[in-house]
Amino acid sequence: MNHEVPHDLEMSLAHRCVEKAFETYSKRFADYSPTMTWASENLAKVGFCAKGLKLGGSIEIKPKTIQLELEVPFLLRIFKSKALEVIEEEIRMWVGKAKSGQL
């Protein structure tokens, strides 16, 4: 399932927003061992652990959206929407900061 967060930033600024959002998320949810590795300039692979199971996905920065994809094992599907909601919240917060000159 793809989830998109709209933005109207330059790509480099959107990239910084994603990095800051994930940094904040990682501190807030350190118990889930979040990881993010940039596979290319605009595509990051992400991972988490919950209930002993690994979740994987990606964050892709596009000109007008930041696209989130999370692959969740069947047993953890109930957590998928919450995980996407929290990640989106962090991204929106950093996009707002970027627009107001705080990033």
Side-chain angles (χ1 to χ4, degrees):
M1 176 178 130
N2 289 338
H3 186 79
E4 294 184 349
V5 180
H7 73 84
D8 56 357
L9 304 171
E10 292 180 14
M11 292 290 283
S12 62
L13 194 52
H15 189 280
R16 288 190 8 223
C17 287
V18 167
E19 288 180 331
K20 288 292 192 180
F22 200 81
E23 180 182 312
T24 303
Y25 180 91
S26 294
K27 290 176 184 172
R28 189 170 159 198
F29 296 100
D31 291 346
Y32 296 104
S33 304
T35 60
M36 181 171 75
T37 305
W38 289 99
S40 70
E41 182 71 24
N42 297 318
L43 178 66
K45 299 295 182 183
V46 296
F48 313 89
C49 292
K51 306 278 185 189
L53 299 172
K54 292 186 179 191
L55 293 78
S58 62
I59 299 175
E60 185 173 6
I61 303 166
K62 296 186 174 188
K64 297 290 179 195
T65 63
I66 297 169
Q67 188 173 9
L68 310 170
E69 171 125 9
L70 195 56
E71 300 156 12
V72 180
F74 181 75
L75 294 173
L76 297 176
R77 292 269 163 95
I78 60 171
F79 297 108
K80 184 175 185 172
S81 61
K82 183 62 177 173
L84 288 172
E85 178 184 315
V86 172
I87 295 169
E88 177 179 353
E89 179 183 302
E90 292 294 339
I91 291 172
R92 285 186 183 274
M93 180 186 72
W94 285 101
V95 167
K97 286 184 176 195
K99 289 173 76 169
S100 67
Q102 297 178 35
L103 180 65

